[in-house]
Amino acid sequence: MEINPGKEFDCVVLAAGFSSRMGQWKPILPYRDTTIIDCVIRTALINCRKTILVCGYRWSELYARYRKRDNVEVIFNNRYAEGILSSARKGAEFVSTDRFFLVLADLPAIEPDTYKTMIKHSPDDILVSFPVFNGKRGHPVLVPGSAIPMILEAKGYENTREFLESLTCVDIEVNDPGILEDIDSEQDYFRLRGRHAL
């Protein structure tokens, strides 16, 4: 049986935010046959050995949901109110693979093959790899373990994307609009849910 090379990768899922622009908490909203956060984690685990789920706001609900899953490590970021970069720093502390994925928890439409494409075409060196669709960078981002010390020390950036783009980057073309389809509003949610309904 062929071994999926992605099983050598961790995936940090950033799920600590307030969902303030949405008006309701996004992770457990219905999506496809489950919830938004379940879809993100399920897709990651097709390709990765473990997800590191970084929580903050309402973290106990996600802990209760996943605490018995061996391949989901739930981490509480007690500085989540400082923004998403604080959650990326927290998640990076628990990575134990040479390279790892970083993905937002409100991107449930990413295709599993996108992870495989990233693994296949990403240079095995210090480059940060972004998936690109129609000229726009999205998620998941593939990050070298060598960048972890820089992530842990990162300050003065507005968000994780800004920091990662300050490093040496490479773009990888993927045929997947889901890398850009984050859910920031009710309109985003209902549009995406309607298009990806079972």
Side-chain angles (χ1 to χ4, degrees), residues 26 58 62 69 78 99 102 107 119 138-139 185 193:
K26 291 183 282 189
R58 294 173 63 168
L62 294 180
R69 291 276 299 274
N78 62 355
R99 292 191 290 169
L102 189 66
L107 283 154
I119 292 165
H139 285 83
S185 67
R193 188 180 176 190

Side-chain angles (χ1 to χ4, degrees), residues 7 14 58 60 73 84 90 92-93 96 127 140 150 173 178:
K7 293 300 182 181
L14 304 179
R58 294 173 63 168
S60 59
E73 185 173 5
I84 196 169
K90 190 67 177 181
E93 294 179 17
S96 57
L127 298 178
M150 291 180 280
E173 295 286 341

Side-chain angles (χ1 to χ4, degrees), residues 20-156:
S20 54
R21 286 179 290 178
M22 179 73 176
Q24 54 184 319
W25 196 46
K26 291 183 282 189
I28 59 172
L29 288 176
Y31 185 80
R32 290 185 172 171
D33 60 335
T34 179
T35 65
I36 290 174
I37 189 64
D38 285 343
C39 278
V40 173
I41 290 173
R42 182 169 63 188
T43 299
L45 288 175
I46 291 171
N47 301 278
C48 302
R49 70 183 192 100
K50 179 179 72 172
T51 58
I52 299 165
L53 181 62
V54 184
C55 306
Y57 179 64
R58 294 173 63 168
W59 76 274
S60 59
E61 294 173 53
L62 294 180
Y63 175 76
R65 191 178 187 91
Y66 293 108
R67 64 187 178 86
K68 295 183 179 180
R69 291 276 299 274
D70 292 337
N71 52 4
V72 180
E73 185 173 5
V74 182
I75 304 300
F76 175 60
N77 173 24
N78 62 355
R79 304 180 71 172
Y80 69 94
E82 296 178 9
I84 196 169
L85 183 55
S86 72
S87 291
R89 287 197 298 263
K90 190 67 177 181
E93 294 179 17
F94 293 86
V95 169
S96 57
T97 53
D98 290 338
R99 292 191 290 169
F100 66 98
F101 284 98
L102 189 66
V103 68
L104 304 180
D106 62 353
L107 283 154
I110 296 172
E111 296 292 339
D113 281 349
T114 291
Y115 283 84
K116 294 181 175 67
T117 300
M118 297 291 291
I119 292 165
K120 182 177 180 181
H121 295 288
S122 296
D124 190 16
D125 53 24
I126 63 169
L127 298 178
V128 175
S129 301
F130 283 92
V132 174
F133 180 79
N134 281 348
K136 296 181 180 179
R137 287 175 169 173
H139 285 83
V141 183
L142 187 53
V143 184
S146 59
I148 290 177
M150 291 180 280
I151 294 173
L152 296 179
E153 296 296 324
K155 295 177 181 177

Side-chain angles (χ1 to χ4, degrees), residues 6 10 12 18 27 75 77 84 116 132 138 153 162 167 172 195:
D10 287 343
V12 176
F18 295 99
I75 304 300
N77 173 24
I84 196 169
K116 294 181 175 67
V132 174
E153 296 296 324
E162 182 181 294
L167 306 177
I172 297 174
R195 194 161 81 240

Side-chain angles (χ1 to χ4, degrees), residues 155-191:
K155 295 177 181 177
Y157 294 93
E158 186 173 333
N159 53 47
T160 307
R161 166 67 63 85
E162 182 181 294
F163 165 71
L164 291 174
E165 289 183 339
S166 74
L167 306 177
T168 304
C169 302
V170 63
D171 292 337
I172 297 174
E173 295 286 341
V174 297
N175 185 25
D176 181 7
I179 71 167
L180 306 174
E181 295 177 321
D182 54 326
I183 298 173
D184 287 331
S185 67
E186 287 189 349
Q187 290 82 359
D188 294 336
Y189 172 59
F190 288 115
R191 182 181 65 251

